[in-house]
Amino acid sequence: MQTATTPFLRQHGEHLAVGGDWTLAMATALAADVSRWRGRLAPQARIDATAIARLDTAGARLLLDLAEAARIDGLDPRQHALLDAVARAALPDTATTRRDNGLLGLLARTGAAVEGIARDAVALLGFIGLVLATLVRSLPDPRRWRPTALAFHLEQTGLDAVPIVVLLNFLVGAVVAFLGATILRDFGAAIYTVELIGYSFLREFGVLLTAILIAGRSGSAFTAQIGSMKAREEVDAIRTLGLDPIEVLVLPRLLALLVAMPLLTALAMLAGIVGGGMVGALSMDISPTLFITRLHELGAARHFWVGMSKAPIFAFLIAAIGCLEGFKVSGSAESVGTHTTSSVVQAIFMAILVDALAAVFFMEIDV
């Protein structure tokens, strides 16, 4: 076993001779000597390292600190290679720390963002195709149905969401009616608040507010549940058992949301209209009979079906995005949180985008 050699630093004129073991074990003693000699060597000075017996990364770091602008001679090839590696590691990584904040940097970041959006859109389309193929393959075979999971998720996404959906739409309906009456009263047209409430909630607000709530509540829950299973390698265990994760994890959630979303939308429309009608009765003397009569004259059934037609589309998109983001989780708690946030943002964005496109479409066909 090689014995340790005490390190030393000796001055020879303008030059400095070093030797012994420059290792981690000797680092504490060497640090004091290095700090004493650093800065005292002339720029043309030379460090003679011929007598260095052993050198590791800690010693190489101290030797570099000692040298500064001085030249180091006498190292064998392995020691010289180690010193070069430590010197390169100590240099700042300009490729990662330098950030171009000019026009080129802006264009690069914009391009990267657009590329990411395109990549996510392609992944979502592929996942939707996979889900539809699995659904078509599973529905004709009752043995592959999962009624217990369907009932559980129907309760979780539908029944448990009723209070918050009804309360939010009731309050928004009351606020919209109050604001509409405040503005229309100046024109002597406060009675048209009924049409404002009916039109807005039956066509837009009821289904859109419900979709946003479900995206934040159920879509995030789908991502967190599947992501946690992915992190614990339960999804791999499902595949090992010969089962299809799409069939086991995605279809029950998708079908439950497809059933729950239209029902929640109908309740949301009713709650919003009730909230607006209550404000009309209390602040504008619009009786419930008059309120219902004007809704009927508005053609409420037509607007109701326009709004309801968007509910299954929103449900499908929210469930697909939530499950897809869950499968993207890499295996850490941080990844679960990141993809849960991404799921909510994407689902709300898609709901608003589809609602805007549907509004333009129904306007063009005069429905």
Side-chain angles (χ1 to χ4, degrees):
M1 183 177 184
Q2 187 176 359
T3 58
T5 305
T6 304
F8 64 84
L9 294 86
R10 298 193 187 100
Q11 187 175 10
H12 296 287
E14 293 182 348
H15 307 301
L16 185 68
V18 297
D21 290 346
W22 284 61
T23 59
L24 181 61
M26 303 294 183
T28 303
L30 279 169
D33 294 334
V34 168
S35 62
R36 187 172 66 253
W37 280 99
R38 187 166 48 197
R40 293 173 55 184
L41 295 175
Q44 69 274 15
R46 180 175 62 85
I47 297 177
D48 183 7
T50 307
I52 289 183
R54 289 189 293 175
L55 182 69
D56 63 9
T57 54
R61 177 70 263 182
L62 290 170
L63 193 57
L64 289 170
D65 291 343
L66 174 66
E68 293 185 338
R71 190 175 81 250
I72 303 174
D73 295 331
L75 293 174
D76 64 39
R78 288 187 302 172
Q79 293 172 342
H80 196 277
L82 175 62
L83 192 70
D84 288 342
V86 173
R88 286 194 302 270
L91 292 175
D93 190 354
T94 56
T96 56
T97 58
R98 182 182 171 188
R99 184 184 180 94
D100 186 358
N101 292 316
L103 179 60
L104 290 179
L106 176 62
L107 292 176
R109 291 190 294 274
T110 303
V114 172
E115 182 184 6
I117 293 173
R119 189 166 53 247
D120 290 341
V122 172
L124 179 60
L125 288 175
F127 187 75
I128 289 174
L130 180 62
V131 170
L132 290 175
T134 306
L135 183 63
V136 171
R137 188 173 61 249
S138 301
L139 283 180
D141 188 359
R143 294 173 301 176
R144 305 175 73 171
W145 297 354
R146 301 185 178 276
T148 303
L150 178 63
F152 170 77
H153 291 298
L154 189 58
E155 178 184 3
Q156 184 185 55
T157 60
L159 188 60
D160 293 346
V162 168
I164 185 64
V165 170
V166 170
L167 177 61
L168 178 66
N169 282 272
F170 176 84
L171 294 176
V172 173
V175 171
V176 171
F178 181 77
L179 294 177
T182 302
I183 296 173
L184 293 173
R185 188 181 289 118
D186 296 337
F187 301 95
I191 190 64
Y192 288 103
T193 304
V194 178
E195 282 77 1
L196 173 65
I197 292 295
Y199 194 88
S200 61
F201 269 88
L202 291 175
R203 294 182 71 102
E204 301 294 337
F205 282 173
V207 64
L208 186 58
L209 289 175
T210 303
I212 292 174
L213 280 174
I214 293 301
R217 187 181 180 279
S218 300
S220 62
F222 293 169
T223 303
Q225 291 164 358
I226 296 178
S228 298
M229 296 179 68
K230 183 80 179 296
R232 295 193 298 264
E233 299 182 354
E234 294 179 32
V235 176
D236 295 332
I238 290 175
R239 291 193 179 97
T240 303
L241 292 173
L243 301 175
D244 185 0
I246 302 297
E247 184 179 324
V248 175
L249 301 177
V250 177
L251 291 188
R253 291 171 168 83
L254 174 66
L255 294 175
L257 204 56
L258 283 172
V259 173
M261 187 75 180
L263 299 177
L264 290 173
T265 299
L267 288 175
M269 293 175 179
L270 179 61
I273 291 173
V274 170
M278 185 173 293
V279 170
L282 295 177
S283 64
M284 292 177 289
D285 295 327
I286 300 176
S287 66
T289 303
L290 178 59
F291 193 94
I292 295 173
T293 301
R294 292 191 69 89
L295 275 181
H296 180 70
E297 293 173 355
L298 174 67
R302 174 167 59 93
H303 301 306
F304 171 80
W305 289 114
V306 168
M308 288 295 292
S309 66
K310 294 182 281 188
I313 301 174
F314 290 165
F316 189 93
L317 289 174
I318 291 170
I321 292 172
C323 294
L324 175 60
E325 289 298 314
F327 283 115
K328 288 182 181 179
V329 171
S330 60
S332 64
E334 181 182 2
S335 179
V336 174
T338 300
H339 286 286
T340 300
T341 302
S342 177
S343 167
V344 175
V345 172
Q346 290 185 46
I348 292 177
F349 173 78
M350 289 299 297
I352 295 175
L353 177 62
V354 171
D355 185 71
L357 295 175
V360 173
F361 172 75
F362 287 125
M363 182 179 65
E364 290 294 328
I365 64 175
D366 196 22
V367 175

